[in-house]
Amino acid sequence: MVFYKCLKCEKKWQHPVDICPFCFSILERVKTTKAKVIAKSKVSIPSLMHPKVPYFALVLEDEKGIRFAYKSIEEKMIGEDIHFESNINDDAVAIWRNNYDLLDSIEIISELLGGFNLNSKSKILILPTLVSSTHDYLRDNTSTEFLSAVITFLHDRDVKEIKIATQSFDDYEIENLAQKSGILDVCLKNKIVPFDLSKGAFVKKGKIEISKEVEEADLILNLSILKSGKGSSTENVFKLINKENYFSLKYLYSEEEMVLQIKDIKNIVSIGEAIYPQRVDKFPVFRNLIFASKNSVNLDAVFNATGLVNQLPKYLKNIDISNIPIVGRGILEVQRNIDILL
């Protein structure tokens, strides 16, 4: 977790604060990696935000002496260390609940998948979700704050070559989508020129024509805006395919066969934004979660299992999520839905 500490009066906050309200000093961003249990309490009465009981409310203390609250479904002993194991398995799905700092959550989700091995020579292609000419708050597209946090994450790791690219598969001009959604403003603020993939070159890979940008990038960050009842992450990966080629394949093949066409693209990490995911009726609800995986199909399957509906794309219906390695926040199966623990 990340805390904000005043170097002068040594007061600390969990939420982002730029200036200390007591002495007006600039705060330092302090990251903690280890914590132990110093107090615990068993909760047996359900509440609106915590309906599943019993659970344990813990007080943790990190190596810097900072104390904070934590919820656990498992009972922990006083003095026991709290840590999260990473998993480099390509099929693993990482889940994290965002607290106050999106950058912190993206850093943690990266660590849970073993890190992205980034350096100053890394070439990164960011593939945002950009499908509708709507404002940010409707959560049809990648949100501006999420994209900004991902760019900051890359800059903090000294990545200098960043491209933001996608294309439109309908009648909307991609330039209009980028402007209305606010993504263009984020690009300009960070001095990144957005690129329309449809205007670039494509290379033949089996039955698909894939953007040449895929071969030139060391890592593709597929930023999907998760929506209940949809394979949002997998759906966005198709934006790397030539538009005419995509529609011809979609006409000839089933959903399951279409997904198989993109499974060989290995340098993709999908990061699913579920801060305010849309329900099936397109109404955004507060979930405050982030998902990540190198397997976009597994990510979509796990996310949709957390919803209140079961209207899934055909290629997700037969996936047993009990066979998918999950790291980060634990999940508890309740009937046919999944509760993600704080």
Side-chain angles (χ1 to χ4, degrees):
M1 290 187 66
V2 165
F3 295 89
Y4 298 84
K5 180 180 179 181
C6 176
L7 299 179
K8 187 175 181 180
C9 62
E10 297 190 347
K11 295 185 182 297
K12 310 172 189 71
W13 290 265
Q14 277 187 265
H15 51 280
V17 179
D18 292 328
I19 298 175
C20 176
F22 296 94
C23 67
F24 305 107
S25 298
I26 301 297
L27 300 189
E28 179 185 35
R29 191 171 183 266
V30 180
K31 191 170 181 64
T32 181
T33 56
K34 297 179 181 179
K36 65 179 180 179
V37 180
I38 61 171
K40 66 176 182 178
S41 178
K42 184 177 181 179
V43 180
S44 301
I45 301 175
S47 62
L48 184 63
M49 295 299 293
H50 307 275
K52 307 303 177 185
V53 292
Y55 64 87
F56 296 89
L58 310 177
V59 177
L60 306 184
E61 183 177 74
D62 69 3
E63 68 273 21
K64 298 179 177 64
I66 301 174
R67 297 179 178 183
F68 55 98
Y70 186 83
K71 176 185 175 183
S72 173
I73 198 66
E74 299 179 357
E75 183 174 8
K76 302 293 182 181
M77 304 304 293
I78 302 296
E80 186 175 349
D81 290 333
I82 300 292
H83 64 280
F84 297 94
E85 298 291 340
S86 63
N87 193 324
I88 61 173
N89 188 325
D90 286 353
D91 292 325
V93 175
I95 307 172
W96 196 254
R97 186 178 292 281
N98 179 59
N99 287 322
Y100 303 101
D101 189 334
L102 269 174
L103 176 59
D104 177 40
S105 298
I106 292 169
E107 289 173 342
I108 292 173
I109 214 82
S110 165
E111 293 165 4
L112 289 172
L113 293 180
F116 297 158
N117 298 319
L118 302 173
N119 55 57
S120 60
K121 297 181 180 179
S122 299
K123 297 179 180 179
I124 307 301
L125 175 65
I126 298 177
L127 182 72
T129 297
L130 195 53
V131 295
S132 177
S133 180
T134 56
H135 289 295
D136 201 28
Y137 57 82
L138 292 176
R139 290 317 195 252
D140 281 318
N141 310 303
T142 295
S143 68
T144 53
E145 60 266 28
F146 196 81
L147 178 59
S148 296
V150 170
I151 294 172
T152 301
F153 168 79
L154 296 174
H155 284 164
D156 287 348
R157 279 143 191 81
D158 202 28
V159 177
K160 295 179 173 59
E161 192 165 341
I162 302 172
K163 286 186 178 181
I164 297 178
T166 186
Q167 61 178 316
S168 175
F169 276 180
D170 49 37
D171 294 332
Y172 290 111
E173 293 290 338
I174 196 67
E175 294 82 3
N176 293 337
L177 297 180
Q179 185 173 11
K180 187 71 174 285
S181 65
I183 286 179
L184 180 59
D185 289 337
V186 175
C187 293
L188 296 177
K189 182 179 178 181
N190 289 277
K191 299 179 181 179
I192 299 173
V193 178
F195 180 66
D196 183 354
L197 291 176
S198 66
K199 297 177 181 177
F202 292 85
V203 293
K204 191 77 173 178
K205 294 288 184 181
K207 296 177 182 178
I208 63 173
E209 295 176 22
I210 201 81
S211 172
K212 195 174 181 181
E213 300 293 331
V214 173
E215 290 188 335
E216 296 177 354
D218 296 314
L219 178 67
I220 301 168
L221 294 180
N222 171 32
L223 305 189
S224 54
I225 183 80
L226 298 179
K227 304 172 184 179
S228 295
K230 299 189 80 173
S232 308
S233 290
T234 304
E235 189 178 88
N236 202 45
V237 175
F238 286 120
K239 293 296 180 69
L240 296 171
I241 300 176
N242 178 280
K243 181 178 179 178
E244 288 74 21
N245 178 231
Y246 167 76
F247 282 110
S248 64
L249 291 173
K250 192 175 181 180
Y251 178 78
L252 293 172
Y253 299 105
S254 66
E255 288 184 352
E256 295 91 336
E257 292 171 321
M258 282 288 290
V259 170
L260 292 175
Q261 307 299 323
I262 60 173
K263 289 194 73 174
D264 292 333
I265 307 176
K266 298 299 184 182
N267 57 334
I268 297 181
V269 174
S270 295
I271 305 178
E273 178 187 349
I275 309 300
Y276 289 95
Q278 285 186 2
R279 299 185 312 202
V280 174
D281 60 5
K282 294 191 175 183
F283 186 83
V285 293
F286 183 67
R287 296 298 295 275
N288 213 26
L289 296 169
I290 296 176
F291 296 72
S293 179
K294 297 174 184 176
N295 186 324
S296 64
V297 174
N298 282 1
L299 189 156
D300 289 332
V302 172
F303 167 73
N304 277 284
T306 68
L308 302 176
V309 296
N310 198 28
Q311 295 180 334
L312 302 180
K314 292 180 180 179
Y315 63 88
L316 292 179
K317 287 185 176 179
N318 296 322
I319 296 179
D320 183 0
I321 68 166
S322 63
N323 296 325
I324 299 175
I326 296 176
V327 291
R329 296 303 192 185
I331 60 173
L332 175 66
E333 188 166 1
V334 181
Q335 297 177 358
R336 68 188 182 93
N337 297 325
I338 301 294
D339 287 331
I340 297 185
L341 306 179
L342 291 169

